[in-house]
């Protein structure tokens, strides 16, 4: 790994913690926009790749955050976000007072509120800013960001937001509001993927031409963004993960926890969660979320492209 270099110019310094498929695209987008970007990831090869493209690398989150005006955390959940902020090599201690922490993880709104309060007590700004759009939009700087936080947090985060997003929804001053909006999105996304996989495998069970099913449905009222986006994975028999089964085990689990705490019935989300859990239990947890179609095929004996009767999970 290339050691952290000194910032030789006056550009705004942004640290990105998490250089996975989303974080790497976000880091590259900020770099294209002229920010001085420092990247850290638990996988050294990801840092090396970013450095090879002209970015700067760091050996820890704390190292990345030194001198940063903006820290963007692109990790999986609230627990990882807490570790990025307040762990033994976390960013909160070395961050400049008045700098902004942008949290992009999907989490329970209550956790976002707690993290924001703890960060603000240290003189930091916290922007609750979960993201949507996938790796392709992250790479283009065209994400949708659902953000909430103080006016100062938005102002300080603006250079990064402008570089990373096609749309930034400013949803209020209270941390947790952005997280709540994201959970509504994830409820719909998880249910829609499950419905799309159920439908295309039902079509296969009937012996229909699946390419023609895709053509007809995407031109009809039954279409959804998830049907249009995920069914091509099934048609190609390619379950390389763009978004994994385990992501929706986590996210729909959060939805159900939130619903239970508020005594709110969420039967469709609950049914979809059971399908993701079954797919994960069948060995497909790390595969693309369209692997629900393989689970339906396994249960029904339907024939899908590249798939007989046994799951292909790892």
């Amino acid at each position: 790994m290339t050691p952290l270099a000194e910032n030789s110019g006056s550009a705004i310094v942004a640290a990105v913690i998490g250089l996975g498929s989303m974080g790497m695209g976000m880091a590259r987008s900020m770099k294209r926009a002229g920010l001085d970007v420092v990247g850290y990831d638990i996988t050294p090869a990801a840092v090396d790749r970013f450095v090879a493209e002209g970015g700067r690398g760091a050996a820890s989150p704390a190292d990345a955050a030194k001198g940063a005006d903006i820290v963007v955390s692109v990790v999986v959940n609230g627990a990882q976000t807490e570790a990025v902020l307040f762990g033994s090599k976390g960013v909160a201690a070395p961050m400049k007072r008045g700098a902004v922490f942008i949290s992009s993880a999907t989490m329970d709104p209550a956790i976002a509120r707690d993290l924001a309060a703890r960060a603000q007590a240290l003189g930091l700004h916290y922007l609750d800013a979960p993201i949507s759009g996938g790796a392709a939009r992250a790479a283009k700087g065209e994400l949708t960001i659902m953000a909430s936080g103080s006016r100062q947090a938005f102002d300080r985060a603006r250079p990064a937001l402008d570089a990373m997003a096609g749309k930034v929804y400013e949803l209020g001053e209270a941390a947790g509001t952005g997280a709540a909006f994201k959970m509504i999105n994830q409820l719909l996304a998880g249910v829609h993927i499950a419905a799309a996989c159920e439908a295309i495998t039902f079509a296969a069970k009937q012996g229909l031409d699946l390419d023609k099913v895709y053509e007809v449905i995407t031109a009809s009222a039954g279409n959804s963004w998830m049907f249009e986006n995920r069914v091509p994975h099934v048609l190609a028999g390619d379950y390389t993960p763009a978004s994994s089964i385990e992501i929706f085990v986590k996210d729909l689990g959060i939805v159900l926890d939130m619903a239970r705490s508020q005594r709110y019935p969420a039967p469709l989300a609950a049914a979809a969660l059971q399908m993701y859990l079954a797919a994960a239990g069948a060995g497909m947890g790390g595969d693309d979320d369209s692997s629900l179609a393989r689970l339906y095929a396994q249960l029904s004996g339907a024939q899908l492209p590249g798939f007989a009767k046994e799951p292909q999970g790892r």
Side-chain angles (χ1 to χ4, degrees), residues 19 48 51 53 82 91 112 121 131 180 192 207 212 233 250 257 269 285 293:
L19 295 172
D48 292 341
V51 170
E53 297 175 0
E82 181 177 26
V91 303
I131 55 180
H192 288 175
K212 184 60 69 174
H233 302 188
K250 171 183 71 74
D257 287 344

Side-chain angles (χ1 to χ4, degrees), residues 6-127:
E6 292 297 325
N7 174 26
S8 59
S10 58
I12 293 170
V13 179
V16 178
I17 312 301
L19 295 172
S21 59
M22 297 295 287
M24 184 67 81
M26 294 159 74
R28 288 168 174 161
S29 295
M30 286 189 283
K31 187 173 172 295
R32 282 198 309 271
L35 279 70
D36 178 22
V37 185
V38 186
Y40 168 77
D41 194 271
I42 59 171
T43 303
V47 181
D48 292 341
R49 188 163 62 251
F50 184 59
V51 170
E53 297 175 0
R56 294 197 288 142
S60 70
D63 190 28
K66 292 175 183 175
D69 303 289
I70 301 166
V71 176
V72 184
S73 175
V74 197
V75 294
V76 172
N77 55 31
Q80 290 186 7
T81 304
E82 181 177 26
V84 167
L85 265 170
F86 303 114
S88 61
K89 296 183 179 180
V91 303
M95 281 178 71
K96 297 189 297 188
R97 303 307 91 170
V100 61
F101 180 86
I102 301 176
S103 171
S104 297
T106 300
M107 66 182 74
D108 188 306
I111 296 175
R113 288 191 289 270
D114 175 66
L115 294 177
R118 292 164 64 186
Q120 289 160 4
L122 296 175
L124 304 175
H125 297 288
Y126 184 103
L127 195 68

Side-chain angles (χ1 to χ4, degrees), residues 198-210 213 300-303:
E198 182 173 310
I200 197 65
T201 314
F202 187 40
K205 182 68 174 176
Q206 297 178 75
L208 301 181
D209 180 331
L210 297 187
V213 170
S300 68
Q303 302 296 305

Side-chain angles (χ1 to χ4, degrees), residues 43-276:
T43 303
V47 181
D48 292 341
R49 188 163 62 251
F50 184 59
V51 170
E53 297 175 0
R56 294 197 288 142
S60 70
D63 190 28
K66 292 175 183 175
D69 303 289
I70 301 166
V71 176
V72 184
S73 175
V74 197
V75 294
V76 172
N77 55 31
Q80 290 186 7
T81 304
E82 181 177 26
V84 167
L85 265 170
F86 303 114
S88 61
K89 296 183 179 180
V91 303
M95 281 178 71
K96 297 189 297 188
R97 303 307 91 170
V100 61
F101 180 86
I102 301 176
S103 171
S104 297
T106 300
M107 66 182 74
D108 188 306
I111 296 175
R113 288 191 289 270
D114 175 66
L115 294 177
R118 292 164 64 186
Q120 289 160 4
L122 296 175
L124 304 175
H125 297 288
Y126 184 103
L127 195 68
D128 173 24
I131 55 180
S132 181
R137 290 187 184 177
K140 295 177 182 177
E142 296 177 355
L143 289 170
T144 295
I145 298 182
M146 301 163 237
S148 61
S150 68
R151 175 47 50 199
Q152 294 93 330
F154 273 106
D155 289 345
R156 285 164 173 75
R158 187 66 57 193
L161 298 177
D162 288 347
M164 298 186 297
K167 290 184 179 179
V168 177
Y169 289 98
E170 299 189 16
L171 302 171
E173 295 190 357
T177 303
F181 271 80
K182 179 62 184 294
M183 295 322 304
I184 300 303
N185 180 78
Q186 294 307 92
L187 186 161
L188 290 166
V191 169
H192 288 175
I193 291 168
C197 291
E198 182 173 310
I200 197 65
T201 314
F202 187 40
K205 182 68 174 176
Q206 297 178 75
L208 301 181
D209 180 331
L210 297 187
D211 289 320
K212 184 60 69 174
V213 170
Y214 180 77
E215 178 185 344
V216 170
I217 296 303
T218 55
S220 302
N223 190 35
S224 69
W225 191 92
M226 285 301 186
F227 185 95
E228 193 163 346
N229 183 266
R230 296 307 203 266
V231 168
H233 302 188
V234 179
L235 300 182
D238 182 2
Y239 299 94
T240 303
S243 174
S244 73
I245 289 289
E246 288 289 358
I247 290 293
F248 281 99
V249 170
K250 171 183 71 74
D251 290 356
L252 289 180
I254 295 172
V255 168
L256 268 295
D257 287 344
M258 292 169 62
R260 182 173 60 251
S261 71
Q262 297 177 9
R263 299 300 183 264
Y264 182 82
L268 297 182
L273 175 58
Q274 293 304 309
M275 297 306 295
Y276 290 104

